[in-house]
């Protein structure tokens, strides 16, 4: 595999996600039945393409049963095997709360941006304001997903 392959995959996945997002928004102009069909089709296409381009995981399944260094009967577990005590990690809780907060802020910000752009396109008499909004939001979606995809590629490269 070439060194550019993960980056090409990142760009492709970001473009695919942006296309689905744009199609989802553009479907607002369709009748309810066609809108549902278009949205279901775009999600199915995303799932199919994602499945096809995802690299296969190495097969680590061993059919052998391995025993512990000191086997014990199931009826009486070894000492200290009661399980670890529950420890509340404040840093992990704060990180989870921060991620949740950023996610909600991103959703609210995206919706505000959609409303503002759609109102502007309508006010300026755009012939197809929803389609114009779909193109704009797909561009924003592409940039956002590309940033996350490239961060994942770099993180994976550093781990190797």
């Amino acid at each position: 595999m070439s060194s550019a392959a993960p980056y090409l995959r990142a760009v492709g996945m970001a473009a695919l996600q942006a296309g689905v997002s744009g199609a989802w928004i553009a479907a607002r102009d369709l009748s309810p039945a066609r809108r549902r069909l278009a949205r279901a089709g775009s999600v199915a296409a995303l799932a199919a393409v994602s499945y096809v381009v995802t690299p296969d995981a190495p097969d680590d399944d061993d059919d052998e049963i391995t025993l512990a260094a000191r086997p014990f009967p199931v009826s009486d577990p070894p000492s200290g095997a009661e399980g670890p005590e529950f420890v509340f990690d404040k840093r992990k809780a704060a990180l989870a709360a921060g991620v949740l907060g950023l996610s909600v802020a991103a959703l609210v910000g995206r919706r505000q941006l959609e409303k503002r752009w759609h109102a502007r396109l309508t006010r300026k008499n755009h012939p197809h304001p929803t389609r114009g909004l779909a193109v704009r939001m797909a561009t924003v979606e592409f940039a956002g997903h590309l940033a996350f995809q490239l961060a994942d590629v770099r993180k994976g490269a550093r781990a190797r």
Side-chain angles (χ1 to χ4, degrees), residues 85-110:
E85 231 180 85
F86 175 73
V87 177
F88 183 75
D89 189 0
K90 292 179 184 177
R91 290 176 294 177
K92 286 184 180 178
L95 181 64
V99 167
L100 184 65
L102 283 174
S103 297
V104 169
L107 287 172
V108 170
R110 176 190 166 137

Side-chain angles (χ1 to χ4, degrees), residues 2 4-13:
S2 73
Y7 292 103
L8 291 174
R9 183 177 293 118
V11 171
M13 291 305 289

Side-chain angles (χ1 to χ4, degrees), residues 25-148:
I25 293 170
R28 290 181 188 165
D29 281 345
L30 301 174
S31 67
R34 286 186 177 172
R35 179 175 48 238
R36 288 185 194 105
L37 185 62
R39 288 178 173 175
S42 66
V43 170
L46 174 69
V49 171
S50 296
Y51 177 77
V52 168
V53 300
T54 301
D56 293 331
D59 191 19
D60 291 335
D61 293 338
D62 289 338
D63 292 336
E64 296 180 23
I65 296 176
T66 56
L67 297 177
R70 293 182 4 202
F72 58 90
V74 177
S75 61
D76 90 302
S79 61
E82 291 88 27
E85 231 180 85
F86 175 73
V87 177
F88 183 75
D89 189 0
K90 292 179 184 177
R91 290 176 294 177
K92 286 184 180 178
L95 181 64
V99 167
L100 184 65
L102 283 174
S103 297
V104 169
L107 287 172
V108 170
R110 176 190 166 137
R111 187 67 186 138
Q112 290 293 96
L113 189 61
E114 280 184 38
K115 286 180 180 179
R116 184 178 308 140
W117 278 350
H118 193 266
R120 184 179 302 151
L121 288 167
T122 305
R123 189 173 52 246
K124 300 219 180 214
N125 294 325
H126 190 280
H128 302 285
T130 305
R131 290 183 205 168
L133 174 65
V135 170
R136 287 181 178 191
M137 291 308 295
T139 305
V140 171
E141 189 89 16
F142 175 76
H145 276 279
L146 183 61
F148 283 118

